[in-house]
Amino acid sequence: MKSYLSLIPISAKVHKRQSRMTLLCIVFAVFMVTAVFSMAEMGFRMEQARLVGKHGNFSIGDLLGSSMGQSLLSVAVVLFLLILIAGVLMISSSMNSSVAQRVQFFGMMRCIGMSKQQIIRFVRLEALNWCKTAVPIGLILGVVTTWGLCAVLHFVVREEFSNIPLFGISLVGIACGIFVGVITVLIAANAPAKRASKVSPIAAVSGNTGNGKTMRHSAHTRFGRIETILGINHAISVKKNLILMTGSFALSIILFLSFSVMVNFVDYLIPQSAATSDIDIASADGNSIPHELLASIREMDGVKEVYGRRSIFDVPAGLNGDTSLSGKVDLISYDDFDLQSLKKDGALKKGSDLSKVYGNTNFVLATSDMNSTWEIGDEVRLGDETLTIAGLLKNDPFSEDGLTNGKITLITSSETFVRLTGDKDYSLVLIQTTGNATDENVRAIQNSVGETYIFRDKRDERTTGTYMAFVFCVYAFLTIIALVTVLNIVNSISMSVSARMKQYGAMRAVGMDERQITKMIACEAFTYAALGCIVGCGIGLPLSKMLYGFLITGHFPSAIWQLPITSLAIILLFVSLAAILAVYAPAKRIKKISVTETINEL
């Protein structure tokens, strides 16, 4: 052996099984960055083609000045930084676990003359050695995934993504993937390398890693079984380890809750509705569009849905027994499709009963906001008619900021509006076209309408594709956080168990069975999980509310932060599953070796 560095490939072969998790973490980080930047470059190429087709020329300034270019750049940079942080956490945790399981090896190296700096160099080069396998795998997965996503956007989403390249190779994506793979490994290897260099030769050879805490008194068993008490004691006895483990759980929860706000932000930034129209036909003088026109348009090629609205404004009204009709309301009719869309969009407040509004009834819906005084069940008097509010909208879709400003807008069924006002004609007709609708189909619709009414073709304003792309990015990172949670917690618990392997061997030697050992490890893991959940929720929920106010409420006044029950349930479920998985592997490892081997294990 010419140098101690020749041990690196030998060590990699011997500890191949233990290194799988670290390799997986590196592959995952490289894969995500390669996919993100490759998708961003494909988006840039698509936008470049669009600008050339529209303006006949192209410049980087035009691309960066477009909304698509800015969105792609900002999303890519943010995800790059977040994936870098997540990658460092995953790889560092995995390497810490690997170092903890090989303390005796590093102690022996110190005994035969290896210095602390050589130990640090050894661990770092060992980590870089993993990159030879992990980085190419991550790059290949990233490129193939990019091809798959581009195909989905091209053939399924279509719209503005119909010109996205299908089998493009992004040199930027590949370069960023390699960069992240190497940089994350070097950063992540720093702490484990220093930890390995601090191992005392005598302590390592003797099997005492120094992680234990001398017990001055026996554990109190009156509050539970001995294995339960010992598991909890193991979790809280070493303060530094308790802080690190609790922080590991809490960080995942904080990141997940904070980034979940982005889902709401995208919903407000690029709102989607089942009733979004592709063509609008509006009247300039009230309800004057013949209702027969809807039936004729419905039979035309390229038409998917046709629905209309009638409106009358500043109608004298009285709320809750006001017979003087001192107030005023706006009255708008919705066809059945429009009413059904409210439910699909989740636009109604809890307790609303949409079924009462259909047909010729005395029930209506009302717009509302956080300052509204009217409630479900209130009565509104219009002339001789008394209408009951059967449901409330979460905001006012007819105002620019979503606020009612103290004025009620009542939404009725088509039949109820005709009964109350006598108007059968419409003020606005909305049309949704089919996916294969052509310009000729649209011109035919326009010709049938004539020049009497305002005709507006909004097909170029579709945002479904952009919305799906943004939502995909958001959920992709939430998935990353969930996986980081599982990997980080499993590795951290495994590291803690490995450091106490001799203690577990001694406990087995004095009569503790495998079931009790497993329960003790489980109690330790769930102590970390419980404390992590408390800290994570205690910090994550206020931070979530603060981010919501900064990103959403500050720009959309009608938005109200609510406890993210779904996001909270998902991340707590992942934390629980991670704790369960973290118990399984160490317990299985202990069961497979004899009592003597366990005592001698380090």
Side-chain angles (χ1 to χ4, degrees):
M1 184 181 298
K2 296 181 180 180
S3 168
Y4 70 95
L5 296 180
S6 302
L7 287 172
I8 291 176
I10 299 174
S11 177
K13 291 181 180 180
V14 173
H15 300 96
K16 184 177 180 180
R17 186 172 181 180
Q18 292 93 327
S19 302
R20 286 177 183 173
M21 187 62 73
T22 307
L23 286 169
L24 180 62
C25 293
I26 301 172
V27 168
F28 191 70
V30 174
F31 153 68
M32 284 303 302
V33 170
T34 303
V36 167
F37 275 87
S38 295
M39 285 300 298
E41 183 171 337
M42 297 305 108
F44 273 113
R45 292 182 188 179
M46 177 189 68
E47 187 69 2
Q48 176 185 355
R50 186 187 71 81
L51 291 172
V52 170
K54 185 176 181 179
H55 303 292
N57 56 17
F58 166 78
S59 69
I60 297 297
D62 293 332
L63 182 58
L64 295 178
S66 68
S67 59
M68 175 67 78
Q70 292 175 352
S71 299
L72 288 170
L73 183 62
S74 60
V75 169
V77 170
V78 170
L79 284 178
F80 173 82
L81 294 175
L82 292 175
I83 293 170
L84 183 65
I85 295 171
V88 170
L89 287 174
M90 287 190 299
I91 298 169
S92 180
S93 176
S94 182
M95 291 185 66
N96 266 318
S97 178
S98 176
V99 168
Q101 295 178 41
R102 293 185 296 153
V103 170
Q104 190 173 18
F105 168 78
F106 292 115
M108 291 295 295
M109 293 298 100
R110 291 293 310 282
C111 286
I112 61 176
M114 188 179 286
S115 67
K116 291 184 178 182
Q117 288 301 318
Q118 287 177 316
I119 291 286
I120 292 175
R121 188 182 181 193
F122 182 91
V123 174
R124 288 175 176 170
L125 291 177
E126 186 180 47
L128 288 175
N129 185 63
W130 290 326
C131 290
K132 293 192 300 183
T133 303
V135 170
I137 295 174
L139 294 176
I140 293 171
L141 289 176
V143 171
V144 173
T145 301
T146 300
W147 291 348
L149 292 174
C150 288
V152 170
L153 292 173
H154 181 85
F155 295 108
V156 179
V157 177
R158 291 179 294 189
E159 299 177 5
E160 64 263 46
F161 293 98
S162 58
N163 294 321
I164 194 168
L166 290 179
F167 296 102
I169 299 294
S170 171
L171 296 180
V172 174
I174 292 174
C176 289
I178 296 173
F179 175 80
V180 165
V182 175
I183 293 300
T184 52
V185 164
L186 288 176
I187 295 174
N190 190 51
K194 289 182 178 179
R195 178 180 178 179
S197 68
K198 292 179 181 178
V199 175
S200 167
I202 298 176
V205 174
S206 66
N208 180 12
T209 63
N211 290 329
K213 181 179 179 180
T214 304
M215 298 295 296
R216 302 298 182 185
H217 53 78
S218 61
H220 297 290
T221 58
R222 55 186 166 184
F223 300 112
R225 294 182 177 275
I226 183 64
E227 60 269 22
T228 303
I229 302 301
L230 285 175
I232 297 174
N233 184 71
H234 282 171
I236 64 176
S237 59
V238 182
K239 301 302 180 185
K240 183 177 180 180
N241 188 60
L242 176 64
I243 293 172
L244 290 174
M245 295 294 290
T246 301
S248 179
F249 281 81
L251 180 62
S252 300
I253 296 173
I254 293 169
L255 285 174
F256 195 91
L257 290 177
S258 299
F259 209 78
S260 294
V261 176
M262 293 301 296
V263 177
N264 304 107
F265 181 62
V266 173
D267 286 337
Y268 277 96
L269 188 65
I270 314 175
Q272 303 295 303
S273 173
T276 299
S277 59
D278 297 312
I279 298 173
D280 287 356
I281 303 170
S283 169
D285 55 352
N287 302 318
S288 61
I289 303 176
H291 63 278
E292 296 85 2
L293 181 63
L294 274 73
S296 62
I297 293 177
R298 189 172 286 112
E299 301 300 324
M300 301 181 72
D301 293 335
V303 175
K304 180 181 179 182
E305 291 286 350
V306 181
Y307 44 103
R309 295 175 183 175
R310 306 175 180 90
S311 58
I312 183 170
F313 304 105
D314 295 329
V315 180
L319 181 64
N320 288 336
D322 179 12
T323 57
S324 64
L325 306 183
S326 58
K328 290 184 178 181
V329 300
D330 293 340
L331 204 62
I332 297 177
S333 76
Y334 271 27
D335 285 353
D336 287 353
F337 177 79
D338 236 350
L339 291 174
Q340 293 166 3
S341 297
L342 291 175
K343 185 175 182 179
K344 291 179 182 178
D345 297 338
L348 299 174
K349 286 187 175 181
K350 186 177 181 180
S352 300
D353 189 350
L354 183 63
S355 62
K356 293 181 178 179
V357 182
Y358 292 105
N360 189 1
T361 69
N362 289 321
F363 291 95
V364 296
L365 299 175
T367 58
S368 67
D369 56 30
M370 73 286 288
N371 300 316
S372 300
T373 57
W374 49 93
E375 300 177 353
I376 296 174
D378 287 352
E379 293 183 343
V380 181
R381 187 171 181 81
L382 300 179
D384 297 331
E385 296 278 356
T386 300
L387 305 175
T388 302
I389 298 177
L392 294 174
L393 274 66
K394 294 178 180 177
N395 52 42
D396 189 342
F398 310 108
S399 68
E400 292 184 357
D401 56 7
L403 300 177
T404 64
N405 296 312
K407 187 171 184 178
I408 305 177
T409 299
L410 299 180
I411 297 175
T412 74
S413 67
S414 180
E415 295 85 351
T416 301
F417 188 94
V418 172
R419 188 191 85 232
L420 293 173
T421 65
D423 287 341
K424 292 185 179 180
D425 295 335
Y426 292 91
S427 60
L428 178 65
V429 173
L430 303 102
I431 303 170
Q432 288 185 348
T433 59
T434 58
N436 57 358
T438 63
D439 291 339
E440 288 74 16
N441 297 145
V442 175
R443 279 195 291 269
I445 297 172
Q446 186 173 8
N447 292 335
S448 69
V449 173
E451 299 181 358
T452 306
Y453 310 108
I454 302 170
F455 186 91
R456 184 183 176 193
D457 184 357
K458 304 193 302 180
R459 289 176 298 162
D460 291 340
E461 299 176 17
R462 291 173 178 168
T463 58
T464 305
T466 304
Y467 174 81
M468 292 180 65
F470 272 95
V471 167
F472 171 80
C473 290
V474 173
Y475 281 108
F477 186 69
L478 289 177
T479 303
I480 292 174
I481 295 175
L483 291 175
V484 169
T485 300
V486 175
L487 292 174
N488 196 30
I489 291 172
V490 168
N491 282 319
S492 298
I493 297 295
S494 177
M495 178 181 67
S496 178
V497 172
S498 298
R500 289 193 174 95
M501 191 63 74
K502 187 175 181 180
Q503 294 181 31
Y504 295 132
M507 291 174 186
R508 288 195 62 189
V510 297
M512 185 174 283
D513 58 29
E514 295 174 352
R515 182 188 61 81
Q516 290 176 304
I517 291 287
T518 302
K519 188 176 179 180
M520 182 169 57
I521 298 173
C523 289
E524 180 180 355
F526 279 94
T527 299
Y528 295 135
L531 294 174
C533 288
I534 294 172
V535 174
C537 292
I539 299 175
L541 289 175
L543 183 59
S544 172
K545 186 175 182 179
M546 184 185 70
L547 290 173
Y548 192 96
F550 176 74
L551 292 174
I552 301 176
T553 307
H555 303 282
F556 306 94
S558 62
I560 303 175
W561 182 83
Q562 295 179 330
L563 188 68
I565 297 176
T566 302
S567 299
L568 198 58
I570 291 173
I571 189 59
L572 292 181
L573 176 63
F574 267 96
V575 167
S576 300
L577 291 175
I580 294 172
L581 291 174
V583 172
Y584 176 77
K588 185 178 180 181
R589 190 165 75 244
I590 292 175
K591 291 178 182 179
K592 283 185 176 180
I593 55 180
S594 66
V595 174
T596 305
E597 290 174 324
T598 308
I599 294 175
N600 293 328
E601 183 71 30
L602 208 90

